[in-house]
C-alpha cells in the first residue's frame, strides 16, 4: 500500500515537474540531455566561448572545429559548415559568424535536417547587414502595443542590477540571426538621452555585445529643447547641431559600437523638422552628420500622415518621394510594409520602388496590434512573405520588426506568438525561406519532431493569418477596429471631435450603394502611386484582385467578384470562413494533446476558445452592421449570427494601448 502511494506521489510529482519545465520560457532553445561534444575554438573570447559552450551543451555529433578564416563570399557574418573525415568544420571570417554557425548546426540537429551537411555542406550569408528589433518600450515599464507583460528593461535597477533575462534575450536573438535592437518606443521620451539613462543603456549593450547585438535608441527630435534647455530644435540651428554632436560623442564614449538613432518625426504629434519649416531630409541629415564620425546611422521613419484632404494611404509617398536622393548615405528611410498601418492585409507601400536613390528598409509589426493581440494564433510569416512578392529583397537595405517581447514567462504572451519572433529573425536573415520551412523548424524545436504533430499543426499556422483576415477584414477592408486599443470590431465607431482618418467609416465608406474606399483614378487615385502594370491592374475593378478590392474600390453590393459571388455574398462567406477556420484549429489542436506538455496544451486550448468567440464577434458585428447598408439577407448556407447588433454596439473594453484583454474581461463586457 505504502509502495503504491509512493509510486503515485512520484508520478504526480513527475507530471508537475514536466508541466513546470514547459512554461515556454526556453522558447525554441529547449535544453536537451545527452550532449557532451568536443569543440575546438581558435581562441577564447566572449563570443567564441558562447559558441563553443552552446555546442558542448547540445551538439550530439562528431567533434566540431571552429575556424576563423578569411572568405570574401561570406561577408561579415556568414559561415560554412561541412563534414570532414572525423569532425564537423565550422568556419567564418568573424566570431559572430561562428556563433550564428553554431546555432545553425544545432538547428539542423534539432529539426533532423543534418543530411544538409552532406556533400558540399552548408553556406549561409545573411541577406541584410541590419536585422533589427524595434521595442516600443516606455521608460515607465509599459510597452505601447505590447501584450506580453511589462518591458524587459528594468530601468530602475539598471545599470547596477542585470536581470538574467537580458542575456537570455540576446541569446534567443542571436540564435535566429537578429543583430540589433532599438530599446525604446519611437514615441520617445527625451529622458532616454540623459546621462543617467545612457549609463543604463551601456549596461545592456555590454550584455548584448558578445551575442553580436548592437544597441540603437529612438530619439525625440525635440531633445535639445526638452533635455538640453535650448530654445529650438531647428536642425539648421548651430546650437542644435552642436548639441547633437556632443550627445553623439557622449554616447560613443560609453558604447563604442552604438548603432544609431531611430526617429519618428512629425507623426502622430511627435516633434520633427517640419515644426521649424525644414524637411524630413534636413532633419535626418543633421542627425546623420552627428553620428557619421562613429559610423552610426539614422533610421528615419516614413510613417507620416496628417488630417489633410489627401487620402491617408497616399501621404507617406507624397511627403517622402520628392525627397529621394536628398538623404545622407548613413540615413535609411524606414517604411511600414503597407501604406496605412499594419492592417491584417494591406497592399505593399508604393514608396518601395519609388525612391531609387535612397536606402530603404521595411518595418514589419511582430506584435499583434491589429491581429488579436496575444490572444489569437496568427503566424505572420505568410504576411511578410506576401510583402516580398512585391518588393524584391534586394531592393531594400535592412529589415526591422516591432517586437512582441515582454516580461511574461513565455516572452510573447501566446505560445505561438513566439513563432513570429522566430520567423522575423529567420526571414530577415533569409527572405527566400518559405513560411512552411520556418514553421516546420519552429515547431520541431519548440514542441516535438513527431510528424503526426508537426504536419497538422503546421497547417494551422500556415492558414492562421488568412483566417484572421477573413474574420476581421476580408476583401481589402481595413481599420474597422475599436477606438484606441485596436482589439475588437467597431465599424460604427464615432468619437466627438476625432480626426476623420482615425475612424473606421473613413476607411470602409459603407453606404446604400456599396462599400470600400475608391482609390482608383476615379477616386483618390492612390493606384497611380504603383508601378504602371500594377497601377492598371488595381485601378480596374474587374482586374483588381479580390484580396484588395475594397482597399481600392467602392464596390456595389451586388457587383460580382472574381469568385463569381456578389460582393455581399462573398463578404458573408469570407467572414464565415474565418470562423470555420478557427473552429478547425480547435479540433486540430485538441488532437495534439498527446504530443504536448499539459501546460502549453491547455494554454493554447483556452486561447483558441477566446479566438473562436472573438471570430464570431467580429463576423456578427461586421455583417450585422454592414447589412444595415446592404439590406440583403445573410446567405442561408452560412452560420446565423448569435449576437444582436445593438448589444455589440454597446461593448466597450476598458483596456489601454498596453493591454491584452483577459477572458474574464471579455466575458464581462461582451
Ligand atoms: C508607436 C500606430 C500605433 C501606435 C504607434 C504608431 C507608430 O498608429 O497605433 O501605437 O506608435 O503606429 O508606428 O508610430
Amino acid at each position: 500500500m505504502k509502495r503504491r502511494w509512493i509510486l503515485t506521489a512520484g508520478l504526480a510529482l513527475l507530471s508537475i515537474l514536466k508541466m513546470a519545465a514547459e512554461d515556454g520560457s526556453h522558447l525554441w532553445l529547449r535544453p536537451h540531455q545527452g550532449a557532451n561534444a568536443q569543440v575546438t575554438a581558435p581562441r577564447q573570447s566572449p563570443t567564441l566561448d558562447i559558441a563553443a559552450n552552446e555546442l558542448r551543451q547540445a551538439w550530439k555529433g562528431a567533434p566540431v572545429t571552429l575556424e576563423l578564416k578569411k572568405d570574401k563570399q561570406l561577408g561579415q557574418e556568414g559561415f560554412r559548415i561541412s563534414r570532414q573525415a572525423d569532425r564537423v568544420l565550422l568556419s567564418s571570417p568573424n566570431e559572430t559568424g561562428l556563433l550564428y554557425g553554431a546555432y545553425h548546426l544545432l538547428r539542423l540537429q534539432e529539426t533532423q535536417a543534418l543530411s544538409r551537411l552532406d556533400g558540399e555542406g552548408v553556406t549561409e550569408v545573411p541577406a541584410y547587414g541590419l536585422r533589427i528589433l524595434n521595442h516600443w518600450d516606455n521608460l515607465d515599464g509599459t510597452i505601447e502595443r505590447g501584450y506580453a507583460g511589462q518591458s524587459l528593461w528594468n530601468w530602475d535597477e539598471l545599470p547596477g542590477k542585470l536581470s538574467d533575462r537580458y542575456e537570455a534575450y540576446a541569446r534567443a536573438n542571436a540564435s535566429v540571426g537578429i543583430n540589433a535592437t532599438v530599446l525604446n518606443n519611437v514615441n520617445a521620451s527625451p529622458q532616454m538621452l540623459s546621462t543617467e539613462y545612457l549609463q543604463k543603456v551601456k549596461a545592456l549593450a555590454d550584455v548584448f555585445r558578445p551575442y553580436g547585438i548592437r544597441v540603437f535608441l529612438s530619439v525625440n527630435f525635440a531633445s535639445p529643447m526638452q533635455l538640453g534647455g535650448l530654445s529650438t530644435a531647428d536642425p539648421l540651428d548651430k546650437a542644435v547641431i552642436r548639441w547633437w554632436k556632443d550627445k553623439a560623442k557622449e554616447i560613443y564614449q560609453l558604447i563604442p559600437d552604438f548603432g544609431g538613432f531611430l526617429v519618428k518625426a512629425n507623426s502622430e504629434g511627435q516633434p520633427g523638422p517640419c515644426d521649424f519649416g525644414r524637411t524630413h531630409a534636413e532633419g535626418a541629415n543633421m542627425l546623420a552628420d552627428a553620428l557619421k564620425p562613429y559610423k552610426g546611422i539614422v533610421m528615419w521613419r516614413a510613417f507620416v500622415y496628417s488630417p489633410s484632404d489627401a487620402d491617408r494611404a497616399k501621404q507617406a509617398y507624397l511627403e517622402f518621394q520628392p525627397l529621394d536622393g536628398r538623404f545622407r548615405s548613413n540615413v535609411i528611410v524606414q517604411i511600414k510594409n503597407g501604406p496605412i498601418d499594419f492592417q491584417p492585409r494591406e497592399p505593399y507601400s508604393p514608396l518601395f520602388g519609388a525612391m531609387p536613390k535612397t536606402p530603404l528598409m521595411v518595418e514589419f509589426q511582430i506584435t499583434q496590434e491589429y491581429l488579436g493581440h496575444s490572444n489569437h494564433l496568427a503566424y505572420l510569416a505568410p504576411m511578410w512573405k506576401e510583402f516580398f512578392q512585391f518588393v524584391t529583397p534586394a531592393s531594400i537595405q535592412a529589415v526591422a520588426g516591432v517586437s512582441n517581447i515582454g516580461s511574461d514567462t513565455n516572452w510573447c504572451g501566446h505560445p505561438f506568438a513566439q513563432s513570429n519572433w522566430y520567423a522575423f529573425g529567420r526571414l530577415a536573415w533569409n527572405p527566400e525561406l518559405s513560411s512552411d520551412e520556418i514553421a516546420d523548424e519552429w515547431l520541431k524545436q519548440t514542441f516535438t519532431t513527431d510528424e503526426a504533430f508537426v504536419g497538422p499543426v503546421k497547417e494551422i499556422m500556415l492558414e492562421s493569418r488568412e483566417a484572421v483576415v477573413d474574420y476581421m477584414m476580408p476583401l481589402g477592408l481595413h481599420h474597422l477596429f475599436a477606438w484606441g486599443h485596436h482589439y475588437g470590431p467597431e465599424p460604427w465607431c464615432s468619437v466627438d471631435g476625432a480626426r476623420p482618418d482615425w475612424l473606421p467609416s473613413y476607411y470602409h465608406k459603407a453606404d446604400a450603394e456599396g462599400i470600400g474606399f475608391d482609390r482608383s483614378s476615379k477616386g483618390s487615385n492612390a493606384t497611380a502611386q504603383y508601378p504602371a502594370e500594377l497601377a492598371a491592374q488595381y485601378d480596374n475593378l474587374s482586374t483588381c484582385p479580390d484580396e484588395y478590392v475594397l482597399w481600392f474600390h467602392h464596390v456595389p453590393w451586388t457587383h460580382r467578384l472574381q469568385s463569381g459571388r456578389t460582393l455581399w455574398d462573398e463578404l458573408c462567406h469570407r467572414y464565415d470562413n474565418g470562423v470555420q477556420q478557427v473552429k478547425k484549429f480547435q479540433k486540430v489542436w485538441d488532437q495534439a494533446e498527446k504530443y504536448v506538455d499539459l501546460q502549453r496544451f491547455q494554454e493554447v486550448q483556452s486561447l483558441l476558445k477566446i479566438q473562436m468567440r472573438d471570430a464570431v464577434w467580429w463576423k456578427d458585428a461586421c455583417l450585422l452592421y454592414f447589412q444595415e447598408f446592404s439590406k440583403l439577407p445573410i446567405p442561408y448556407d452560412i452560420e446565423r449570427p448569435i449576437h444582436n447588433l445593438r448589444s455589440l454596439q454597446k461593448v466597450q473594453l476598458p483596456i489601454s494601448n498596453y493591454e491584452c484583454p483577459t477572458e474574464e474581461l471579455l466575458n464581462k463586457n461582451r
Side-chain angles (χ1 to χ4, degrees), residues 343-347 466 469-470 473-480 507-508 515-517 519 544-553 567 571 574:
Q343 298 301 291
R345 169 164 280 122
E346 296 193 26
E466 204 60 41
V469 170
D470 276 356
M473 280 163 253
L475 299 175
L477 284 172
H478 48 293
H479 235 308
L480 306 183
Y507 300 97
H508 65 66
I515 182 172
F517 197 129
R519 296 195 166 104
C544 183
D546 283 356
E547 278 62 36
Y548 301 130
V549 77
L550 302 182
W551 183 283
F552 288 115
H553 296 273
L567 169 65
L571 199 63
R574 294 271 180 140

mmCIF file of all heavy atoms in Angstrom, residues 343-347 466 469-470 473-480 507-508 515-517 519 544-553 567 571 574:
data_model
loop_
_atom_site.group_PDB
_atom_site.id
_atom_site.type_symbol
_atom_site.label_atom_id
_atom_site.label_comp_id
_atom_site.label_asym_id
_atom_site.label_seq_id
_atom_site.Cartn_x
_atom_site.Cartn_y
_atom_site.Cartn_z
ATOM 1 N N GLN A 343 -2.252 46.761 -41.020
ATOM 2 C CA GLN A 343 -3.558 46.105 -41.025
ATOM 3 C C GLN A 343 -3.391 44.616 -41.356
ATOM 4 O O GLN A 343 -2.363 44.211 -41.903
ATOM 5 C CB GLN A 343 -4.472 46.782 -42.050
ATOM 6 C CG GLN A 343 -4.747 48.251 -41.734
ATOM 7 C CD GLN A 343 -5.409 48.408 -40.376
ATOM 8 O OE1 GLN A 343 -6.554 48.033 -40.192
ATOM 9 N NE2 GLN A 343 -4.675 48.953 -39.399
ATOM 10 N N PRO A 344 -4.408 43.796 -41.027
ATOM 11 C CA PRO A 344 -4.256 42.361 -41.306
ATOM 12 C C PRO A 344 -3.853 42.080 -42.757
ATOM 13 O O PRO A 344 -3.077 41.190 -43.030
ATOM 14 C CB PRO A 344 -5.639 41.790 -40.994
ATOM 15 C CG PRO A 344 -6.197 42.720 -39.964
ATOM 16 C CD PRO A 344 -5.667 44.091 -40.326
ATOM 17 N N ARG A 345 -4.396 42.848 -43.685
ATOM 18 C CA ARG A 345 -3.862 42.785 -45.059
ATOM 19 C C ARG A 345 -3.855 44.182 -45.655
ATOM 20 O O ARG A 345 -4.861 44.897 -45.640
ATOM 21 C CB ARG A 345 -4.684 41.874 -45.961
ATOM 22 C CG ARG A 345 -4.268 42.050 -47.423
ATOM 23 C CD ARG A 345 -4.729 40.963 -48.391
ATOM 24 N NE ARG A 345 -3.900 39.789 -48.330
ATOM 25 C CZ ARG A 345 -4.362 38.571 -48.041
ATOM 26 N NH1 ARG A 345 -5.641 38.397 -47.776
ATOM 27 N NH2 ARG A 345 -3.548 37.542 -48.018
ATOM 28 N N GLU A 346 -2.706 44.561 -46.176
ATOM 29 C CA GLU A 346 -2.591 45.799 -46.944
ATOM 30 C C GLU A 346 -1.816 45.471 -48.212
ATOM 31 O O GLU A 346 -0.954 44.595 -48.189
ATOM 32 C CB GLU A 346 -1.777 46.864 -46.181
ATOM 33 C CG GLU A 346 -2.392 47.333 -44.901
ATOM 34 C CD GLU A 346 -1.722 48.597 -44.335
ATOM 35 O OE1 GLU A 346 -1.146 49.380 -45.111
ATOM 36 O OE2 GLU A 346 -1.796 48.790 -43.117
ATOM 37 N N PRO A 347 -2.070 46.201 -49.295
ATOM 38 C CA PRO A 347 -1.121 46.097 -50.403
ATOM 39 C C PRO A 347 0.210 46.675 -49.919
ATOM 40 O O PRO A 347 0.237 47.390 -48.920
ATOM 41 C CB PRO A 347 -1.751 46.978 -51.483
ATOM 42 C CG PRO A 347 -2.676 47.895 -50.759
ATOM 43 C CD PRO A 347 -3.121 47.190 -49.518
ATOM 44 N N GLU A 466 -4.529 34.121 -42.737
ATOM 45 C CA GLU A 466 -5.638 34.314 -43.669
ATOM 46 C C GLU A 466 -6.971 34.198 -42.921
ATOM 47 O O GLU A 466 -7.937 34.898 -43.231
ATOM 48 C CB GLU A 466 -5.547 33.265 -44.777
ATOM 49 C CG GLU A 466 -6.219 33.646 -46.068
ATOM 50 C CD GLU A 466 -5.645 34.913 -46.687
ATOM 51 O OE1 GLU A 466 -4.424 35.104 -46.677
ATOM 52 O OE2 GLU A 466 -6.462 35.719 -47.182
ATOM 53 N N VAL A 469 -7.596 37.486 -41.288
ATOM 54 C CA VAL A 469 -8.050 38.449 -42.303
ATOM 55 C C VAL A 469 -9.537 38.212 -42.577
ATOM 56 O O VAL A 469 -10.339 39.149 -42.601
ATOM 57 C CB VAL A 469 -7.242 38.297 -43.612
ATOM 58 C CG1 VAL A 469 -7.868 39.121 -44.736
ATOM 59 C CG2 VAL A 469 -5.791 38.714 -43.399
ATOM 60 N N ASP A 470 -9.906 36.940 -42.744
ATOM 61 C CA ASP A 470 -11.293 36.631 -43.103
ATOM 62 C C ASP A 470 -12.283 37.013 -42.005
ATOM 63 O O ASP A 470 -13.313 37.606 -42.291
ATOM 64 C CB ASP A 470 -11.437 35.146 -43.454
ATOM 65 C CG ASP A 470 -11.056 34.878 -44.909
ATOM 66 O OD1 ASP A 470 -10.771 35.844 -45.637
ATOM 67 O OD2 ASP A 470 -11.046 33.700 -45.320
ATOM 68 N N MET A 473 -11.264 41.421 -41.437
ATOM 69 C CA MET A 473 -11.377 42.405 -42.511
ATOM 70 C C MET A 473 -11.046 41.817 -43.872
ATOM 71 O O MET A 473 -9.991 42.091 -44.435
ATOM 72 C CB MET A 473 -10.436 43.582 -42.219
ATOM 73 C CG MET A 473 -11.042 44.523 -41.229
ATOM 74 S SD MET A 473 -9.847 45.613 -40.486
ATOM 75 C CE MET A 473 -9.751 44.893 -38.879
ATOM 76 N N PRO A 474 -11.964 41.019 -44.437
ATOM 77 C CA PRO A 474 -11.659 40.402 -45.727
ATOM 78 C C PRO A 474 -11.778 41.391 -46.886
ATOM 79 O O PRO A 474 -12.277 42.520 -46.710
ATOM 80 C CB PRO A 474 -12.734 39.307 -45.839
ATOM 81 C CG PRO A 474 -13.870 39.828 -45.042
ATOM 82 C CD PRO A 474 -13.284 40.657 -43.923
ATOM 83 N N LEU A 475 -11.332 40.967 -48.040
ATOM 84 C CA LEU A 475 -11.532 41.673 -49.317
ATOM 85 C C LEU A 475 -10.947 43.085 -49.343
ATOM 86 O O LEU A 475 -11.421 43.943 -50.079
ATOM 87 C CB LEU A 475 -13.035 41.725 -49.656
ATOM 88 C CG LEU A 475 -13.725 40.370 -49.822
ATOM 89 C CD1 LEU A 475 -15.227 40.546 -50.022
ATOM 90 C CD2 LEU A 475 -13.136 39.596 -51.001
ATOM 91 N N GLY A 476 -9.962 43.333 -48.500
ATOM 92 C CA GLY A 476 -9.317 44.649 -48.529
ATOM 93 C C GLY A 476 -9.913 45.651 -47.568
ATOM 94 O O GLY A 476 -9.492 46.815 -47.531
ATOM 95 N N LEU A 477 -10.887 45.222 -46.763
ATOM 96 C CA LEU A 477 -11.392 46.137 -45.726
ATOM 97 C C LEU A 477 -10.255 46.398 -44.745
ATOM 98 O O LEU A 477 -9.367 45.570 -44.563
ATOM 99 C CB LEU A 477 -12.564 45.496 -44.981
ATOM 100 C CG LEU A 477 -13.895 45.479 -45.720
ATOM 101 C CD1 LEU A 477 -14.916 44.644 -44.939
ATOM 102 C CD2 LEU A 477 -14.423 46.902 -45.918
ATOM 103 N N HIS A 478 -10.285 47.554 -44.092
ATOM 104 C CA HIS A 478 -9.217 47.842 -43.151
ATOM 105 C C HIS A 478 -9.686 48.839 -42.098
ATOM 106 O O HIS A 478 -10.647 49.569 -42.302
ATOM 107 C CB HIS A 478 -7.963 48.344 -43.863
ATOM 108 C CG HIS A 478 -8.205 49.426 -44.874
ATOM 109 N ND1 HIS A 478 -8.912 49.204 -46.042
ATOM 110 C CD2 HIS A 478 -7.845 50.721 -44.897
ATOM 111 C CE1 HIS A 478 -8.960 50.334 -46.739
ATOM 112 N NE2 HIS A 478 -8.343 51.262 -46.057
ATOM 113 N N HIS A 479 -8.987 48.832 -41.015
ATOM 114 C CA HIS A 479 -9.205 49.746 -39.884
ATOM 115 C C HIS A 479 -10.641 49.781 -39.364
ATOM 116 O O HIS A 479 -11.192 50.837 -39.073
ATOM 117 C CB HIS A 479 -8.742 51.155 -40.229
ATOM 118 C CG HIS A 479 -7.752 51.656 -39.212
ATOM 119 N ND1 HIS A 479 -8.014 51.631 -37.856
ATOM 120 C CD2 HIS A 479 -6.495 52.160 -39.333
ATOM 121 C CE1 HIS A 479 -6.966 52.106 -37.203
ATOM 122 N NE2 HIS A 479 -6.017 52.413 -38.064
ATOM 123 N N LEU A 480 -11.220 48.586 -39.197
ATOM 124 C CA LEU A 480 -12.565 48.529 -38.600
ATOM 125 C C LEU A 480 -12.465 48.374 -37.082
ATOM 126 O O LEU A 480 -13.415 48.002 -36.424
ATOM 127 C CB LEU A 480 -13.345 47.334 -39.176
ATOM 128 C CG LEU A 480 -13.439 47.250 -40.697
ATOM 129 C CD1 LEU A 480 -14.305 46.055 -41.109
ATOM 130 C CD2 LEU A 480 -14.027 48.537 -41.281
ATOM 131 N N TYR A 507 -12.532 54.647 -43.701
ATOM 132 C CA TYR A 507 -11.913 53.579 -44.497
ATOM 133 C C TYR A 507 -12.922 52.689 -45.221
ATOM 134 O O TYR A 507 -12.695 52.287 -46.349
ATOM 135 C CB TYR A 507 -10.998 52.719 -43.604
ATOM 136 C CG TYR A 507 -9.898 53.554 -42.983
ATOM 137 C CD1 TYR A 507 -10.022 54.064 -41.693
ATOM 138 C CD2 TYR A 507 -8.765 53.884 -43.725
ATOM 139 C CE1 TYR A 507 -9.035 54.873 -41.152
ATOM 140 C CE2 TYR A 507 -7.772 54.687 -43.191
ATOM 141 C CZ TYR A 507 -7.911 55.184 -41.899
ATOM 142 O OH TYR A 507 -6.936 55.989 -41.371
ATOM 143 N N HIS A 508 -14.057 52.357 -44.521
ATOM 144 C CA HIS A 508 -14.951 51.408 -45.206
ATOM 145 C C HIS A 508 -15.983 52.097 -46.094
ATOM 146 O O HIS A 508 -16.451 51.531 -47.062
ATOM 147 C CB HIS A 508 -15.616 50.451 -44.209
ATOM 148 C CG HIS A 508 -16.549 51.078 -43.218
ATOM 149 N ND1 HIS A 508 -17.728 51.677 -43.585
ATOM 150 C CD2 HIS A 508 -16.494 51.163 -41.858
ATOM 151 C CE1 HIS A 508 -18.356 52.112 -42.498
ATOM 152 N NE2 HIS A 508 -17.626 51.819 -41.437
ATOM 153 N N ILE A 515 -19.623 49.420 -50.630
ATOM 154 C CA ILE A 515 -18.645 49.563 -49.552
ATOM 155 C C ILE A 515 -17.242 49.596 -50.162
ATOM 156 O O ILE A 515 -17.009 49.028 -51.238
ATOM 157 C CB ILE A 515 -18.790 48.394 -48.544
ATOM 158 C CG1 ILE A 515 -17.826 48.521 -47.371
ATOM 159 C CG2 ILE A 515 -18.616 47.037 -49.205
ATOM 160 C CD1 ILE A 515 -18.077 47.504 -46.254
ATOM 161 N N GLY A 516 -16.310 50.250 -49.452
ATOM 162 C CA GLY A 516 -14.913 50.285 -49.899
ATOM 163 C C GLY A 516 -14.464 51.700 -50.226
ATOM 164 O O GLY A 516 -15.277 52.607 -50.428
ATOM 165 N N PHE A 517 -13.150 51.888 -50.226
ATOM 166 C CA PHE A 517 -12.533 53.205 -50.437
ATOM 167 C C PHE A 517 -12.137 53.301 -51.912
ATOM 168 O O PHE A 517 -11.345 52.489 -52.386
ATOM 169 C CB PHE A 517 -11.280 53.301 -49.552
ATOM 170 C CG PHE A 517 -10.760 54.697 -49.351
ATOM 171 C CD1 PHE A 517 -10.507 55.166 -48.067
ATOM 172 C CD2 PHE A 517 -10.504 55.540 -50.427
ATOM 173 C CE1 PHE A 517 -10.017 56.453 -47.854
ATOM 174 C CE2 PHE A 517 -10.017 56.828 -50.227
ATOM 175 C CZ PHE A 517 -9.764 57.280 -48.943
ATOM 176 N N ARG A 519 -9.964 54.251 -54.330
ATOM 177 C CA ARG A 519 -8.614 54.792 -54.521
ATOM 178 C C ARG A 519 -8.185 54.649 -55.982
ATOM 179 O O ARG A 519 -7.011 54.723 -56.315
ATOM 180 C CB ARG A 519 -7.615 54.070 -53.605
ATOM 181 C CG ARG A 519 -7.879 54.281 -52.138
ATOM 182 C CD ARG A 519 -6.695 53.872 -51.250
ATOM 183 N NE ARG A 519 -6.871 54.393 -49.913
ATOM 184 C CZ ARG A 519 -7.259 53.677 -48.851
ATOM 185 N NH1 ARG A 519 -7.508 52.396 -48.981
ATOM 186 N NH2 ARG A 519 -7.394 54.239 -47.665
ATOM 187 N N CYS A 544 -8.773 43.997 -60.437
ATOM 188 C CA CYS A 544 -8.203 44.153 -59.094
ATOM 189 C C CYS A 544 -8.411 42.840 -58.315
ATOM 190 O O CYS A 544 -9.526 42.330 -58.239
ATOM 191 C CB CYS A 544 -8.911 45.312 -58.376
ATOM 192 S SG CYS A 544 -8.214 45.631 -56.754
ATOM 193 N N PRO A 545 -7.346 42.269 -57.737
ATOM 194 C CA PRO A 545 -7.530 41.011 -57.003
ATOM 195 C C PRO A 545 -8.560 41.176 -55.877
ATOM 196 O O PRO A 545 -8.609 42.220 -55.219
ATOM 197 C CB PRO A 545 -6.143 40.738 -56.408
ATOM 198 C CG PRO A 545 -5.189 41.567 -57.213
ATOM 199 C CD PRO A 545 -5.958 42.743 -57.721
ATOM 200 N N ASP A 546 -9.364 40.130 -55.662
ATOM 201 C CA ASP A 546 -10.402 40.197 -54.628
ATOM 202 C C ASP A 546 -9.819 40.599 -53.267
ATOM 203 O O ASP A 546 -10.463 41.296 -52.490
ATOM 204 C CB ASP A 546 -11.104 38.837 -54.476
ATOM 205 C CG ASP A 546 -12.106 38.592 -55.615
ATOM 206 O OD1 ASP A 546 -12.294 39.507 -56.451
ATOM 207 O OD2 ASP A 546 -12.669 37.483 -55.661
ATOM 208 N N GLU A 547 -8.593 40.167 -52.994
ATOM 209 C CA GLU A 547 -7.957 40.464 -51.694
ATOM 210 C C GLU A 547 -7.893 41.959 -51.413
ATOM 211 O O GLU A 547 -7.873 42.389 -50.281
ATOM 212 C CB GLU A 547 -6.520 39.927 -51.661
ATOM 213 C CG GLU A 547 -6.378 38.466 -51.341
ATOM 214 C CD GLU A 547 -7.048 37.581 -52.358
ATOM 215 O OE1 GLU A 547 -7.022 37.942 -53.557
ATOM 216 O OE2 GLU A 547 -7.624 36.562 -51.956
ATOM 217 N N TYR A 548 -7.787 42.764 -52.497
ATOM 218 C CA TYR A 548 -7.588 44.209 -52.312
ATOM 219 C C TYR A 548 -8.777 45.024 -52.810
ATOM 220 O O TYR A 548 -8.706 46.249 -52.865
ATOM 221 C CB TYR A 548 -6.354 44.671 -53.096
ATOM 222 C CG TYR A 548 -5.068 43.978 -52.701
ATOM 223 C CD1 TYR A 548 -4.238 43.411 -53.659
ATOM 224 C CD2 TYR A 548 -4.671 43.922 -51.370
ATOM 225 C CE1 TYR A 548 -3.044 42.791 -53.305
ATOM 226 C CE2 TYR A 548 -3.474 43.303 -51.007
ATOM 227 C CZ TYR A 548 -2.671 42.740 -51.981
ATOM 228 O OH TYR A 548 -1.501 42.134 -51.629
ATOM 229 N N VAL A 549 -9.859 44.331 -53.169
ATOM 230 C CA VAL A 549 -10.880 45.045 -53.943
ATOM 231 C C VAL A 549 -11.504 46.211 -53.164
ATOM 232 O O VAL A 549 -11.748 47.280 -53.720
ATOM 233 C CB VAL A 549 -11.927 44.037 -54.494
ATOM 234 C CG1 VAL A 549 -12.906 43.572 -53.442
ATOM 235 C CG2 VAL A 549 -12.639 44.615 -55.690
ATOM 236 N N LEU A 550 -11.721 46.039 -51.852
ATOM 237 C CA LEU A 550 -12.340 47.141 -51.099
ATOM 238 C C LEU A 550 -11.299 48.136 -50.588
ATOM 239 O O LEU A 550 -11.641 49.172 -50.031
ATOM 240 C CB LEU A 550 -13.183 46.585 -49.945
ATOM 241 C CG LEU A 550 -14.293 45.613 -50.378
ATOM 242 C CD1 LEU A 550 -15.101 45.140 -49.182
ATOM 243 C CD2 LEU A 550 -15.208 46.243 -51.432
ATOM 244 N N TRP A 551 -10.062 47.805 -50.780
ATOM 245 C CA TRP A 551 -8.983 48.776 -50.489
ATOM 246 C C TRP A 551 -8.940 49.827 -51.594
ATOM 247 O O TRP A 551 -8.742 51.004 -51.351
ATOM 248 C CB TRP A 551 -7.633 48.047 -50.407
ATOM 249 C CG TRP A 551 -6.488 48.936 -50.044
ATOM 250 C CD1 TRP A 551 -5.837 49.829 -50.859
ATOM 251 C CD2 TRP A 551 -5.867 49.057 -48.754
ATOM 252 N NE1 TRP A 551 -4.843 50.479 -50.165
ATOM 253 C CE2 TRP A 551 -4.836 50.024 -48.874
ATOM 254 C CE3 TRP A 551 -6.070 48.426 -47.517
ATOM 255 C CZ2 TRP A 551 -4.018 50.385 -47.793
ATOM 256 C CZ3 TRP A 551 -5.248 48.785 -46.460
ATOM 257 C CH2 TRP A 551 -4.238 49.755 -46.603
ATOM 258 N N PHE A 552 -9.176 49.343 -52.841
ATOM 259 C CA PHE A 552 -9.013 50.243 -53.990
ATOM 260 C C PHE A 552 -10.329 50.709 -54.620
ATOM 261 O O PHE A 552 -10.312 51.598 -55.456
ATOM 262 C CB PHE A 552 -8.171 49.563 -55.075
ATOM 263 C CG PHE A 552 -6.711 49.447 -54.715
ATOM 264 C CD1 PHE A 552 -6.107 48.217 -54.530
ATOM 265 C CD2 PHE A 552 -5.930 50.596 -54.564
ATOM 266 C CE1 PHE A 552 -4.753 48.125 -54.213
ATOM 267 C CE2 PHE A 552 -4.572 50.511 -54.242
ATOM 268 C CZ PHE A 552 -3.984 49.260 -54.062
ATOM 269 N N HIS A 553 -11.439 50.071 -54.232
ATOM 270 C CA HIS A 553 -12.688 50.418 -54.938
ATOM 271 C C HIS A 553 -13.870 50.514 -53.972
ATOM 272 O O HIS A 553 -13.927 49.788 -52.975
ATOM 273 C CB HIS A 553 -13.016 49.367 -56.009
ATOM 274 C CG HIS A 553 -11.986 49.325 -57.093
ATOM 275 N ND1 HIS A 553 -12.034 50.141 -58.197
ATOM 276 C CD2 HIS A 553 -10.851 48.578 -57.215
ATOM 277 C CE1 HIS A 553 -10.975 49.893 -58.979
ATOM 278 N NE2 HIS A 553 -10.243 48.958 -58.385
ATOM 279 N N LEU A 567 -20.679 40.807 -54.211
ATOM 280 C CA LEU A 567 -19.838 41.320 -53.127
ATOM 281 C C LEU A 567 -20.427 40.953 -51.765
ATOM 282 O O LEU A 567 -19.721 40.470 -50.876
ATOM 283 C CB LEU A 567 -19.695 42.840 -53.248
ATOM 284 C CG LEU A 567 -19.054 43.491 -52.025
ATOM 285 C CD1 LEU A 567 -17.611 43.048 -51.856
ATOM 286 C CD2 LEU A 567 -19.140 45.001 -52.104
ATOM 287 N N LEU A 571 -18.635 38.630 -49.075
ATOM 288 C CA LEU A 571 -18.256 39.190 -47.766
ATOM 289 C C LEU A 571 -18.741 38.254 -46.650
ATOM 290 O O LEU A 571 -18.006 37.918 -45.721
ATOM 291 C CB LEU A 571 -18.902 40.568 -47.618
ATOM 292 C CG LEU A 571 -18.326 41.523 -46.592
ATOM 293 C CD1 LEU A 571 -16.890 41.897 -46.931
ATOM 294 C CD2 LEU A 571 -19.182 42.798 -46.535
ATOM 295 N N ARG A 574 -16.706 35.059 -46.617
ATOM 296 C CA ARG A 574 -15.340 35.218 -46.071
ATOM 297 C C ARG A 574 -15.390 35.294 -44.546
ATOM 298 O O ARG A 574 -14.586 34.671 -43.868
ATOM 299 C CB ARG A 574 -14.694 36.489 -46.616
ATOM 300 C CG ARG A 574 -14.452 36.447 -48.093
ATOM 301 C CD ARG A 574 -13.092 35.842 -48.419
ATOM 302 N NE ARG A 574 -12.915 35.833 -49.860
ATOM 303 C CZ ARG A 574 -11.773 36.115 -50.480
ATOM 304 N NH1 ARG A 574 -10.692 36.418 -49.798
ATOM 305 N NH2 ARG A 574 -11.703 36.088 -51.786
#
